Amino acid sequence: TVDLDGALAFEARVPHFDGTMAVSRSAPDGTAPDSVTPWRLTTKLKADPVKASLAQLEVSYGRDDAAMKLTGLADFRFGAKPLLQALLSAKQLDADKLLAKQSGSTEPVQMMPGLRALLAALPPAPLPARIDLNVERIILGGRPVQDLDLTLRAAGGSWSVDRLEARAPGATDISIQGALASSARTDSASSDADDSFKGALKIDSADPGTFTAWLLGRVDATAQRQKPLHVAGNVHLASDRVAIDDLKADVDGGAIAGRIAWSARKDGNASAFEADLAADRLDLDAAMTLARGIGIPRQDWPDRGQLAVNIVRAVSSGQELRPFVAKLRYDDKTIALDALRVGQARGLTMDGSG
């Protein structure tokens, strides 16, 4: 619904409106109240046939006390190339509270499902727009994310992320650029629409264990001292899977490149993990220390997985291994070593499988 209250005047036969506007959305009559997430927008409005200015803009998204509220201003340019530009901000938002209200669950919201739910909640873009959003603190996945700086752009009915920067748990700086794609739903009961995000990702974490625990929704983050982790790549985030292509990671001075992918249990299918990694030089002891520090519990490991590693020069317990090549896979019944090749500086090489 749209409510207007103000004065309409004509200057040289050109109409001008000066007043207030309220726009809201709620569940249609005859449907369940929770079938649609309500939102409301109120603003002071000045408009003519060319443009509209929205001052003292207030936006509320969600139900009751769980709603996320932002304030700001906006300008809307009409004509052959319409464009909405808005600047919104908030000191603190609670995404967990909103998502829990939407789902009706009392369980803590996990970061990855929560982020996917927020992406899926974005409505189709009705017109070209640029929205700059700044939030000092947002609760997501049970922990605060600070200094969220986000620029969204809408064109052709879809959204893109021009820029997203935030300070995540574990003293972790995150930077993302990409696009959100949403397949059309054929009916309101469908829950299989592939809402996904594809874009460039950069992560610099001073405490990878705490950061990973937050991603996985764990509260038992390790207190073990860890070295920083730097990761960059092209990420694909969907409702049941995460993949990073063109991965480049820095582990204690060793550069790793390759691809990793993880898929969740869904529709009776097992969860899975795949990794194909290569490096010119890598300290295996440092890599194992990082893995132990992240400390993923056994029950959270994927049901099946496969790993391929190709390292030109590896270091383990002070010994150089040239090369170190391994391919292994596992499921709920077997662990198979498809290939193993380990060389030493003196020219001795060992090959094996099993």
Side-chain angles (χ1 to χ4, degrees):
T1 60
V2 179
D3 293 318
L4 293 172
D5 184 12
L8 180 63
F10 288 84
E11 298 178 7
R13 298 184 179 182
V14 178
H16 295 263
F17 178 83
D18 190 347
T20 62
M21 179 178 68
V23 184
S24 61
R25 181 197 187 197
S26 57
D29 294 337
T31 62
D34 59 353
S35 61
V36 171
T37 301
W39 57 264
R40 180 176 174 81
L41 177 152
T42 61
T43 183
K44 287 188 174 182
L45 175 66
K46 290 185 177 182
D48 58 38
V50 176
K51 65 183 183 304
S53 297
L54 288 70
Q56 298 182 24
L57 177 62
E58 297 183 0
V59 179
S60 174
Y61 182 82
R63 299 180 185 87
D64 307 327
D65 60 341
M68 294 199 296
K69 300 179 180 180
L70 303 106
T71 60
L73 51 85
D75 290 303
F76 189 13
R77 184 183 68 212
F78 306 127
K81 296 182 179 180
L83 177 65
L84 171 66
Q85 298 186 86
L87 177 61
L88 301 173
S89 63
K91 287 188 176 297
Q92 179 163 315
L93 298 176
D94 194 335
D96 287 357
K97 198 172 185 180
L98 171 68
L99 294 171
K101 191 80 171 181
Q102 288 179 330
S103 64
S105 172
T106 59
E107 296 296 322
V109 176
Q110 292 190 4
M111 182 273 168
M112 292 301 289
L115 180 58
R116 291 194 294 267
L118 288 176
L119 292 176
L122 279 175
L127 49 86
R130 175 192 167 111
I131 300 176
D132 291 291
L133 177 66
N134 181 268
V135 181
E136 292 184 14
R137 191 171 185 263
I138 180 171
I139 304 299
L140 179 61
R143 300 288 296 274
V145 176
Q146 298 177 326
D147 299 329
L148 173 65
D149 200 356
L150 170 65
T151 298
L152 288 172
R153 190 179 297 274
S158 62
W159 292 96
S160 63
V161 179
D162 276 8
R163 178 174 54 91
L164 186 155
E165 296 178 355
R167 183 78 163 178
T172 303
D173 292 322
I174 299 177
S175 176
I176 296 175
Q177 291 179 309
L180 175 67
S182 179
S183 62
R185 290 172 172 83
T186 57
D187 57 76
S188 59
S190 173
S191 61
D192 297 327
D194 185 17
D195 298 296
S196 63
F197 174 85
K198 293 182 179 180
L201 170 69
K202 183 179 179 182
I203 297 173
D204 292 303
S205 180
D207 186 351
T210 298
F211 175 65
T212 305
W214 172 65
L215 288 178
L216 298 177
R218 289 166 37 217
V219 296
D220 57 341
T222 177
Q224 181 177 345
R225 180 178 176 85
Q226 295 177 317
K227 293 186 178 181
L229 175 66
H230 309 282
V231 176
N234 296 319
V235 65
H236 182 190
L237 173 66
S239 61
D240 61 341
R241 61 192 182 276
V242 178
I244 302 179
D245 295 302
D246 299 324
L247 171 71
K248 293 179 177 61
D250 184 357
V251 180
D252 195 24
I256 302 175
R259 178 183 188 274
I260 59 175
W262 169 86
S263 59
R265 298 183 184 96
K266 185 178 181 181
D267 300 330
N269 295 323
S271 59
F273 174 80
E274 298 179 14
D276 190 349
L277 306 174
D280 289 332
R281 177 192 175 279
L282 183 65
D283 188 328
L284 296 179
D285 298 327
M288 291 302 298
T289 298
L290 174 63
R292 286 193 298 268
I294 291 175
I296 301 175
R298 182 178 179 83
Q299 65 269 21
D300 290 339
W301 278 94
D303 301 319
R304 65 171 184 262
Q306 58 184 44
L307 172 67
V309 178
N310 188 336
I311 304 171
V312 176
R313 182 165 66 94
V315 178
S316 178
S317 300
Q319 299 294 317
E320 283 197 353
L321 308 175
R322 299 187 183 185
F324 180 84
V325 179
K327 293 183 179 180
L328 62 88
R329 53 188 167 84
Y330 74 89
D331 55 29
D332 57 345
K333 296 180 180 179
T334 60
I335 299 177
L337 182 63
D338 294 330
L340 176 65
R341 181 178 176 84
V342 180
Q344 294 184 345
R346 294 188 297 272
L348 179 65
T349 301
M350 179 179 68
D351 291 273
S353 63

